[in-house]
Amino acid sequence: MKIYRLAVVLSLFFLSCGQKTKVEKEVEGIPVDVKVERFDKVFFESKPEDLPKVKKQYPFFFPAGNDDKIWLEKMQEPIWREVYQEVQKKYSNFEPLRKEFNNLFQHVKYYFPKTKTPKVITIIGEMDYNAKAIYADSLVIVALELYLGKEHKFYQFPNYLKQNFEERQIMPDVVSSFSYRNIPVSNDKTLLSQMIFEGKQLYAKDLLLPEYTDAEKMGYTPEQIKWCEENESYMWRYFIESEMLYSADPKLNTRFITPAPFSKFYLEIDNDSPGRTGAWIGWQIVRSYMKNNNNVSLAELFKIEPKEIFEKSKYKPKK
């Protein structure tokens, strides 16, 4: 009997590997050629008198009403020129990343065939960690000053933010922006709904970034992923016993969904927990749903109401 079970397990394993290979082969055959424009180089290597030409070439980076003095100061300010030099040291050769973008958008077009292949434009922004990478239909804008490595001397940010200022976070950030733009916002404002909303965009990374680790998809360290896995049933029981799942209290969002140094259970475990544990649980719910409803496409998943996903997920945390 044991030998039979082992044979079944191995058969399923090789079948799943075969299916993955089939998908990846189809993805590889999708023609995509991502173009990259280095606006950061154009801007900082232009002479002040050439600013009008730069504005004409990239009007969307120069909001109406802003005095040219602002841009001229940034162009010549020593600290910003130092930032530019640091960006060039790290990203002088952008071709490896361009290939990663190509691979990402081959996957995007596989699951969303009507999606246009966007142009990637690199910038040096204003150190705004809420706008590190932005997907906007025909454009992907990447603020390279926020991907210099978590230990970079420029970063005066809390560790929970800095840990994602790595090159390896560019693609996950782009997928997050793509997903947030394409997942309809539900009228359901409960914590469970928000958890599943986040779970959808994290599940998108499972399909669009298959070579990335769960830690990279989540923006966690490996240790933080391990903590969630080990405490999954404990967290789930806490949400249920505290009657939080169907609560629309906006404070729950900051406690369990938005980036934070830790989640706020108001228990001894808080200091050991990572932030966004509610989003991580939502991811596991969506994974469970898709495992039990594997005929649902990613595009269809985005549109399904959170309540239906939860009810059909048959989610049970691992013991």
Side-chain angles (χ1 to χ4, degrees):
M1 182 62 74
K2 287 183 179 178
I3 294 174
Y4 172 75
R5 286 178 181 170
L6 178 60
V8 170
V9 169
L10 288 173
S11 296
L12 290 172
F13 172 77
F14 287 117
L15 178 61
S16 65
C17 288
Q19 288 174 339
K20 180 179 178 182
T21 302
K22 181 175 180 290
V23 169
E24 289 305 307
K25 281 183 177 178
E26 290 182 15
V27 167
E28 288 173 4
I30 296 173
V32 167
D33 185 20
V34 171
K35 305 296 184 186
V36 176
E37 292 188 15
R38 297 294 302 272
F39 173 74
D40 53 317
K41 294 185 73 171
V42 171
F43 182 82
F44 282 100
E45 293 182 9
S46 293
K47 297 176 182 178
E49 58 266 30
D50 291 331
L51 180 62
K53 293 180 184 176
V54 177
K55 290 175 67 177
K56 186 175 181 180
Q57 187 177 355
Y58 297 96
F60 38 84
F61 288 136
F62 300 93
N66 285 1
D67 195 297
D68 283 358
K69 182 181 177 182
I70 295 171
W71 311 116
L72 292 171
E73 285 179 355
K74 183 170 184 177
M75 192 180 279
Q76 300 172 86
E77 177 68 37
I79 186 62
W80 282 114
R81 296 207 65 81
E82 186 180 356
V83 171
Y84 170 64
Q85 293 302 324
E86 291 296 299
V87 166
Q88 296 317 304
K89 281 182 194 175
K90 186 167 181 63
Y91 295 106
S92 58
N93 178 15
F94 206 79
E95 182 59 18
L97 270 171
R98 191 196 73 82
K99 288 179 179 177
E100 277 204 59
F101 271 110
N102 242 42
N103 183 261
L104 168 59
F105 278 96
Q106 282 178 309
H107 283 83
V108 170
K109 288 186 78 67
Y110 179 83
Y111 292 102
F112 301 88
K114 294 182 180 179
T115 301
K116 298 176 184 175
T117 300
K119 180 191 298 180
V120 174
I121 302 182
T122 63
I123 67 169
I124 291 175
E126 301 296 325
M127 292 283 181
D128 181 1
Y129 60 83
N130 288 313
K132 293 163 66 190
I134 299 171
Y135 169 88
D137 282 340
S138 60
L139 294 177
V140 170
I141 299 167
V142 182
L144 291 179
E145 84 278 8
L146 288 167
Y147 296 102
L148 293 175
K150 63 185 177 183
E151 302 298 335
H152 200 281
K153 63 182 179 179
F154 288 148
Y155 298 146
Q156 303 298 314
F157 295 96
N159 287 333
Y160 77 93
L161 292 174
K162 288 196 298 184
Q163 74 183 41
N164 287 311
F165 291 2
E166 298 283 349
E167 178 181 335
R168 190 69 175 169
Q169 278 302 304
I170 293 176
M171 300 303 152
D173 286 346
V174 171
V175 175
S176 289
S177 183
F178 172 84
S179 300
Y180 288 143
R181 189 177 178 87
N182 286 280
I183 299 172
V185 177
S186 173
N187 292 324
D188 183 349
K189 302 303 179 185
T190 61
L191 175 62
L192 180 63
S193 176
Q194 294 177 70
M195 290 165 69
I196 291 175
F197 180 88
E198 293 296 323
K200 287 179 179 180
Q201 66 91 9
L202 286 162
Y203 183 78
K205 294 176 186 178
D206 287 340
L207 300 187
L208 302 180
L209 298 172
E211 300 303 318
Y212 279 61
T213 66
D214 280 7
E216 290 167 334
K217 295 169 192 171
M218 188 75 196
Y220 276 178
T221 63
E223 293 74 23
Q224 288 173 325
I225 284 288
K226 185 178 179 182
W227 188 95
C228 287
E229 291 171 346
E230 291 177 347
N231 290 276
E232 183 176 357
S233 61
Y234 185 87
M235 290 189 289
W236 184 243
R237 187 167 68 250
Y238 174 86
F239 288 135
I240 291 173
E241 291 177 354
S242 302
E243 298 182 347
M244 290 180 172
L245 292 178
Y246 296 103
S247 170
D249 182 352
K251 292 179 182 177
L252 295 176
N253 184 279
T254 56
R255 288 174 63 185
F256 301 111
I257 301 294
T258 58
F262 53 84
S263 295
K264 299 176 181 68
F265 295 93
Y266 302 137
L267 298 170
E268 289 183 5
I269 65 169
D270 281 12
N271 288 335
D272 295 323
S273 72
R276 304 187 69 228
T277 51
W280 187 85
I281 290 284
W283 189 12
Q284 310 320 305
I285 293 171
V286 173
R287 279 175 162 176
S288 181
Y289 171 84
M290 291 300 283
K291 183 179 179 181
N292 291 301
N293 299 271
N294 54 21
N295 60 327
V296 174
S297 70
L298 184 57
E300 290 168 338
L301 172 71
F302 278 4
K303 296 175 183 177
I304 299 171
E305 282 294 318
K307 185 173 183 289
E308 181 181 343
I309 289 175
F310 176 59
E311 289 174 349
K312 292 183 178 179
S313 71
K314 301 179 183 177
Y315 170 67
K316 287 184 180 179
K318 296 171 185 175
K319 300 292 184 185

